[in-house]
Amino acid sequence: MAQFADRGDLQSLVVYVTQPGNGSAPSLVPIGQWPSDGRALPAVEASSPLRLPAEQRRWLPLRHHNVLLGAIQVETSTLPWPDTLGQRLQAVALCLTEALCLDLEQQRLQQTLKQQEAELGLLLHQLRNPLAALRTFGQLLLRRLDQDGQNRPLVEGLLAEERQLNRYVDALSQLGRSTTPVVSGEAAQPLLLPPGLVGPEGQPLPDWLEPLLQRASATAALQGRPWQPPARMPDWHGDSGAVAEILANLLENAFRYSPAGSAIGLHCQPLAGGAWQLAVWDGGAPIVPEERETIFERGVRGRDGQNLPGTGLGLALGRDLARSLGGELNLVVPPAAVAPELPPQGNAFCLRLPGAAAPDH
């Protein structure tokens, strides 16, 4: 408002915002004035005579659609206003209206966020109860199957999945309390993986692969398709929690998108310098060439998966995580190009993990 100091025909400007009143009409509360003389101006109620136009007083409404957000009270010694003064006042009114709209939108978003956080906290709290019950029942059942070599692995798999669900619940409860890991590089972006799912360095990867292999074997049995586990477990240490998340997404995609009856497997092979390559492969129809790179973009799904549930984030997340580890995730067609013993038709998603001598990314 100080921009009007050059106008000798202006006596004062006061900016008001609306506030719900006792009646149907809102009150006008002053938030700024020019010139500033230190006076505390009162609110203008609906019945106040100040709302009525006077010979030297005019009101400019700050209106968004049909909602009155506030008003500017203008007192001038010159009437009618010169065109230059009217244009400047209208420009100020427009800017103040936009600012009030942004402020209201921010308040609305903050209230929505607080409500969602409260609801999420309640749901997470309630979710822990059935998870604890599943763990208890599973442990009791495991005792009864002490010598049952056929069914005991199934219960152990259920308990492993319960522990994984608890990890997700813990990670969700920690959102906003710590810094999310970011991807290094020119286009660094926050990862989708919550910090609670990223483990410390130096963890042996086989400990994290066992539950995934049990899940894959059970899924293959239910779907009636061949499953080929790795002939050799990777002797790799690092952020094994992140690697497990990548492989879990790749295996889920393989079982979801490959044709019924086609084989699925995990192939692990050592590379030079202590590096490893882990390939999740299937023996289905190869992904068409024009989609082999675009499917790694966030929200993009191949044509064969358009009618299936999913978000199109798994491969993007996997590649981001792989690069944050100093590795890479790529599609190789056919799987036989990875290793000659793999099928000559199908797809292989290859995760390359760096060796101990690899630079820290």
Side-chain angles (χ1 to χ4, degrees), residues 109-124:
L109 291 175
Q110 287 178 340
Q111 292 175 353
T112 301
L113 180 59
K114 288 182 179 179
Q115 181 180 1
Q116 290 177 345
E117 288 177 345
E119 293 175 351
L120 177 60
L122 178 61
L123 288 173
L124 290 175

Side-chain angles (χ1 to χ4, degrees), residues 29-41:
V29 179
I31 61 171
Q33 63 187 90
W34 177 86
S36 179
D37 54 10
R39 290 183 302 160
L41 299 177

Side-chain angles (χ1 to χ4, degrees), residues 2-361:
Q3 65 172 295
F4 293 98
D6 62 325
R7 301 292 310 200
D9 50 351
L10 273 182
Q11 296 176 344
S12 69
L13 292 173
V14 183
V15 178
Y16 293 86
V17 295
T18 57
Q19 179 175 293
N22 296 327
S24 58
S27 301
L28 294 174
V29 179
I31 61 171
Q33 63 187 90
W34 177 86
S36 179
D37 54 10
R39 290 183 302 160
L41 299 177
V44 178
E45 305 295 338
S47 59
S48 173
L50 290 176
R51 291 206 180 206
L52 301 176
E55 183 178 355
Q56 295 180 330
R57 184 191 312 122
R58 293 291 185 270
W59 290 89
L60 286 177
L62 306 178
R63 189 183 302 276
H64 180 67
H65 299 309
N66 295 326
V67 179
L68 180 65
L69 303 177
I72 303 177
Q73 185 193 82
V74 183
E75 291 192 3
T76 177
S77 59
T78 302
L79 290 174
W81 292 341
D83 290 340
T84 55
L85 176 60
Q87 293 172 359
R88 289 174 64 179
L89 288 171
Q90 289 292 344
V92 169
L94 179 61
C95 290
L96 288 174
T97 300
E98 292 297 323
L100 289 173
C101 287
L102 291 175
D103 184 66
L104 289 174
E105 179 65 13
Q106 182 185 24
Q107 294 181 29
R108 185 189 67 81
L109 291 175
Q110 287 178 340
Q111 292 175 353
T112 301
L113 180 59
K114 288 182 179 179
Q115 181 180 1
Q116 290 177 345
E117 288 177 345
E119 293 175 351
L120 177 60
L122 178 61
L123 288 173
L124 290 175
H125 178 271
Q126 295 302 103
L127 185 58
R128 294 182 188 274
N129 294 329
L131 286 176
L134 287 175
R135 180 173 62 253
T136 301
F137 293 145
Q139 291 171 343
L140 291 174
L141 186 57
L142 199 61
R143 293 180 183 177
R144 298 186 180 184
L145 299 176
D146 188 24
Q147 304 300 325
D148 191 338
Q150 181 178 1
N151 293 314
R152 184 180 176 86
L154 297 178
V155 181
E156 291 174 343
L158 288 176
L159 289 172
E161 295 300 322
E162 182 274 332
R163 290 192 295 270
Q164 180 70 355
L165 285 174
N166 265 312
R167 291 182 65 237
Y168 286 126
V169 172
D170 290 339
L172 287 173
S173 65
Q174 295 170 13
L175 286 180
R177 300 181 184 179
S178 58
T179 303
T180 302
V182 296
V183 183
S184 59
E186 297 180 358
Q189 296 179 354
L191 292 178
L192 295 179
L193 194 62
L197 296 181
V198 178
E201 294 294 330
Q203 296 174 308
L205 183 56
D207 293 346
W208 291 76
L209 288 187
E210 284 295 344
L212 296 182
L213 298 180
Q214 291 179 5
R215 183 196 306 177
S217 177
T219 304
L222 287 174
Q223 294 184 0
R225 67 165 81 217
W227 158 250
Q228 185 173 327
R232 178 180 179 183
M233 293 291 276
D235 182 17
W236 188 87
H237 290 67
D239 186 355
S240 298
V243 176
E245 293 297 329
I246 299 172
L247 293 177
N249 276 322
L250 295 178
L251 287 169
E252 178 69 20
N253 286 346
F255 282 107
R256 179 181 298 172
Y257 297 122
S258 64
S262 61
I264 291 175
L266 174 63
H267 181 269
C268 303
Q269 66 182 89
L271 304 177
W276 279 83
Q277 179 170 271
L278 315 180
V280 175
W281 59 266
D282 68 77
I287 297 173
V288 295
E290 57 268 24
E291 294 181 353
R292 292 176 186 175
E293 190 60 30
T294 59
I295 56 176
F296 287 96
E297 299 176 7
R298 294 175 183 267
V300 176
R301 306 175 66 193
R303 63 184 184 185
D304 293 336
Q306 294 297 321
N307 297 324
L308 297 174
T311 60
L313 295 176
L315 289 177
L317 169 63
R319 174 168 280 184
D320 284 349
L321 277 173
R323 290 175 176 175
S324 74
L325 297 171
E328 187 57 86
L329 177 63
N330 288 307
L331 171 62
V332 176
V333 178
V338 177
E341 64 268 24
L342 297 184
Q345 175 179 300
N347 309 280
F349 287 89
C350 297
L351 171 63
R352 179 180 56 83
L353 298 176
D360 184 12
H361 290 260

